[in-house]
């Protein structure tokens, strides 16, 4: 009986000592960075072990995700929705690429036909008329001009040295610049310099749409026409 009492006393003393020791040690506090690290580790584990949910399929139905329209949804439902959204995005991208391909084919065919017409021109007047009519008819441009720049013409000289300093200009012009180049106000323009062999010559195209020509557009189309003009003008 005495042994039993002594044993109980020893257990009580040990429990009290353990409790006192625990009271002296600070409880660990998890910071937001620790939680973020744990989430990162979980994410990495799931990415490296994609079969995890195959081993625990009940988790797919047990996990709930917030949805802005339907409230809480299961992980399976959320995955299906994400896949449908991705399929829709891919379909839109494919449609956009097909549209671009169609436009590129249209431009290619136009440039090929225009090249053949230009090569048949016998004088400068016929060349101007061919280029102008072709561009207006195909793309609905309002003005197509070949303009020789003379230094005594301060307005044209300013456009030559400032607007098309880099060789091309796409965008809008001031009212006075529009009237000097095209004789009237226009929405937006594409300007390019011909080669030095032809002197200071501007090839300009105008659209009634203010947003048709913009600084970020590609200049390959006009580069090809410019090269044709550079090839033909010295012959006249």
């Amino acid at each position: 009986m005495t042994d039993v009492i002594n044993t109980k006393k020893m257990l009580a003393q040990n429990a009290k000592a353990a409790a006192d020791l625990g009271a002296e040690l600070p409880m660990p506090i998890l910071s937001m960075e620790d939680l973020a690290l744990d989430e990162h580790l979980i994410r990495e584990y799931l990415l490296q072990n994609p079969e995890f949910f195959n081993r625990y399929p009940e988790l797919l139905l047990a996990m709930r995700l917030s949805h802005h329209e339907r409230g809480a949804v299961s992980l399976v439902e959320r995955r299906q929705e994400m896949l449908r959204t991705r399929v829709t995005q891919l379909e839109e991208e494919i449609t956009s690429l097909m549209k671009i391909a169609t436009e590129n084919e249209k431009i290619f065919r136009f440039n090929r036909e225009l090249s053949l017409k230009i090569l048949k021109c016998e004088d400068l007047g016929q060349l101007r008329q061919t280029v102008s009519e072709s561009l207006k008819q195909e793309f609905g441009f309002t003005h197509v001009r070949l303009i020789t720049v003379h230094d005594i013409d301060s307005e044209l000289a300013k456009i030559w040295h400032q607007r098309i300093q880099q060789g091309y200009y796409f965008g809008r012009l001031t009212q006075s610049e529009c009237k000097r180049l095209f004789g009237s106000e226009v929405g937006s323009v594409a300007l390019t310099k011909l080669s030095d062999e032809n002197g200071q010559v501007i090839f300009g195209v105008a659209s009634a749409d203010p947003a048709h020509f913009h600084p970020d557009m590609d200049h390959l189309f006009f580069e090809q026409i410019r090269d044709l003009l550079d090839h033909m003008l010295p012959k006249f």
Side-chain angles (χ1 to χ4, degrees):
M1 184 69 177
T2 302
D3 293 339
V4 172
I5 294 173
N6 290 335
T7 300
K8 290 182 177 180
K9 287 182 178 180
M10 291 178 63
L11 290 173
Q13 290 173 354
N14 289 339
K16 184 177 183 303
D20 293 339
L21 180 61
E24 295 175 358
L25 296 175
M27 291 295 292
I29 300 176
L30 294 177
S31 65
M32 293 303 295
E33 293 181 356
D34 295 328
L35 292 175
L37 179 60
D38 290 343
E39 290 179 356
H40 180 72
L41 291 175
I42 293 171
R43 175 182 179 275
E44 291 300 318
Y45 175 81
L46 292 176
L47 288 175
Q48 296 174 11
N49 297 271
E51 75 285 353
F52 175 80
F53 288 107
N54 290 332
R55 297 197 300 269
Y56 304 97
E58 69 279 4
L59 292 179
L60 292 175
L61 297 176
M63 296 179 67
R64 312 298 293 178
L65 302 176
S66 61
H67 192 279
H68 65 284
E69 292 180 353
R70 298 165 55 192
V73 297
S74 70
L75 189 60
V76 172
E77 292 174 309
R78 180 57 175 161
R79 175 177 172 80
Q80 290 175 341
E81 181 183 6
M82 292 177 65
L83 289 175
R84 286 193 296 268
T85 301
R86 182 54 181 158
V87 168
T88 301
Q89 291 175 345
L90 290 174
E91 289 176 346
E92 292 176 351
E93 291 176 6
I94 292 173
T95 301
S96 177
L97 290 173
M98 291 178 65
K99 182 178 179 181
I100 293 174
T102 300
E103 289 296 323
N104 287 340
E105 183 180 3
K106 176 183 176 182
I107 291 174
F108 170 77
R109 291 181 181 277
F110 170 80
N111 275 346
R112 184 184 63 181
E113 293 174 2
L114 179 62
S115 299
L116 295 175
K117 291 179 181 179
I118 288 178
L119 292 173
K120 295 178 181 178
C121 291
E122 298 180 355
D123 55 53
L124 181 57
Q126 187 180 3
L127 174 66
R128 289 176 182 270
Q129 183 178 359
T130 298
V131 175
S132 179
E133 290 180 352
S134 297
L135 287 170
K136 288 179 180 179
Q137 181 178 356
E138 184 70 22
F139 302 103
F141 297 143
T142 56
H143 300 77
V144 179
R145 298 285 307 278
L146 275 174
I147 307 163
T148 301
V149 178
H150 301 286
D151 291 334
I152 58 174
D153 190 327
S154 59
E155 188 76 25
L156 283 179
K158 182 178 179 181
I159 294 172
W160 176 270
H161 292 293
Q162 296 183 9
R163 288 292 191 186
I164 50 178
Q165 182 179 7
Q166 303 300 322
Y168 294 91
Y169 175 79
F170 299 97
R172 304 187 65 178
L173 297 175
T174 65
Q175 183 177 355
S176 61
E177 288 174 332
C178 290
K179 289 184 176 181
R180 183 63 191 88
L181 285 172
F182 303 106
S184 63
E185 293 187 43
V186 297
S188 57
V189 303
L191 306 176
T192 183
K193 294 179 178 180
L194 297 192
S195 66
D196 294 337
E197 296 178 358
N198 292 303
Q200 294 182 334
V201 178
I202 298 175
F203 172 56
V205 176
S207 170
D209 182 2
H212 186 90
F213 296 111
H214 53 86
D216 296 327
M217 70 185 302
D218 185 80
H219 55 71
L220 178 61
F221 172 61
F222 288 95
E223 181 179 341
Q224 292 173 341
I225 298 178
R226 183 202 63 185
D227 291 344
L228 283 170
L229 294 174
D230 276 333
H231 175 72
M232 293 297 295
L233 283 182
K235 298 180 178 181
F236 304 134

